[in-house]
Amino acid sequence: MLTKVTSNAGQAAVSLALVLICLAGNAQAGEPLKPGGKFPTFSLDVLNPKDCGTTSFDSAQFVGLAPAEPAPLLIVVFGAWSCKPCKRAIAHLEQLQTAQEKPRWRYVVVVEDREEEARKKFLEHMKSLKSNAPMLADLDGLVLGRAGCERLPCTLAANAWGIIVGYWQKYDDGIQQQLDDLVKESKDW
């Protein structure tokens, strides 16, 4: 299913005009995804193009039938500036990634903040982490809804074949360990 949604945030500095969502698999909108299911592919505008080197992000480039730039693991964190566990999860992923010489996995942050000021603070936080991970704008919450996320942080992990290998709707030490294990395992995929 392909859905086009136009979103005009009215901000000249951040163009958030087109959101393309392509949901793979049988999950219905609002239904939580499950490990072993199909990863919902999506395309969103990038809020930090200077930091990550691109203006849009299409998850199909990383997971699915024919990924253009296959990484064994893609981790997507849905977060908001006011969510302390979201920032903790992102800081941990950034530490994991910078600790590896040539990481074979990527993470992206899907920002659920509707207010420009909150998005700016989140961008500054990412810069303080020296992160070059794409920060994506989901102003209408459509990708979040398609993923069935009911609370933040919501984290999805998928392998290069588009299979969900992890899905969490919170962040704690146990989930942190599960993410560590997934990253370690992905070296052998």
Side-chain angles (χ1 to χ4, degrees):
M1 176 192 319
L2 182 62
T3 306
K4 287 186 181 182
V5 178
T6 302
S7 174
N8 183 355
Q11 307 299 327
V14 181
S15 171
L16 303 171
L18 182 62
V19 176
L20 295 174
I21 303 167
C22 180
L23 181 64
N26 296 324
Q28 299 295 318
E31 224 177 83
L33 301 173
K34 297 175 184 159
K38 292 279 190 179
F39 183 78
T41 56
F42 59 88
S43 178
L44 291 170
D45 289 332
V46 173
L47 294 172
N48 58 338
K50 290 180 182 176
D51 299 324
C52 66
T54 185
T55 58
S56 67
F57 178 87
D58 184 352
S59 67
Q61 292 180 324
F62 302 96
V63 297
L65 296 176
E69 189 180 323
L73 183 66
L74 175 66
I75 299 172
V76 179
V77 178
F78 294 89
W81 166 248
S82 62
C83 171
K84 289 181 182 179
C86 299
K87 292 185 269 190
R88 183 175 164 223
I90 293 163
H92 179 70
L93 290 171
E94 187 61 30
Q95 287 174 341
L96 280 175
Q97 198 156 65
T98 56
Q100 296 179 354
E101 188 175 322
K102 292 183 181 179
R104 294 191 60 225
W105 62 280
R106 298 187 91 176
Y107 81 95
V108 299
V109 178
V110 180
V111 179
E112 296 302 323
D113 289 303
R114 270 93 177 142
E115 299 82 26
E116 181 183 15
E117 191 59 35
R119 290 191 306 271
K120 284 181 180 179
K121 288 179 181 179
F122 212 152
L123 282 166
E124 289 304 316
H125 175 69
M126 292 294 284
K127 286 181 183 181
S128 75
L129 297 174
K130 296 182 175 35
S131 174
N132 64 358
M135 286 189 66
L136 314 176
D138 184 25
L139 294 183
D140 295 322
L142 293 174
V143 175
L144 180 76
R146 293 291 178 116
C149 298
E150 297 172 352
R151 58 191 281 195
L152 298 177
C154 182
T155 306
L156 288 169
N159 64 24
W161 299 274
I163 304 299
I164 297 170
V165 295
Y167 180 83
W168 306 273
Q169 291 201 54
K170 62 179 184 174
Y171 189 78
D172 58 25
D173 292 340
I175 292 169
Q176 182 172 313
Q177 185 59 54
Q178 291 176 43
L179 286 167
D180 290 353
D181 294 344
L182 269 176
V183 165
K184 288 175 190 169
E185 289 172 23
S186 72
K187 293 177 186 178
D188 300 326
W189 294 349

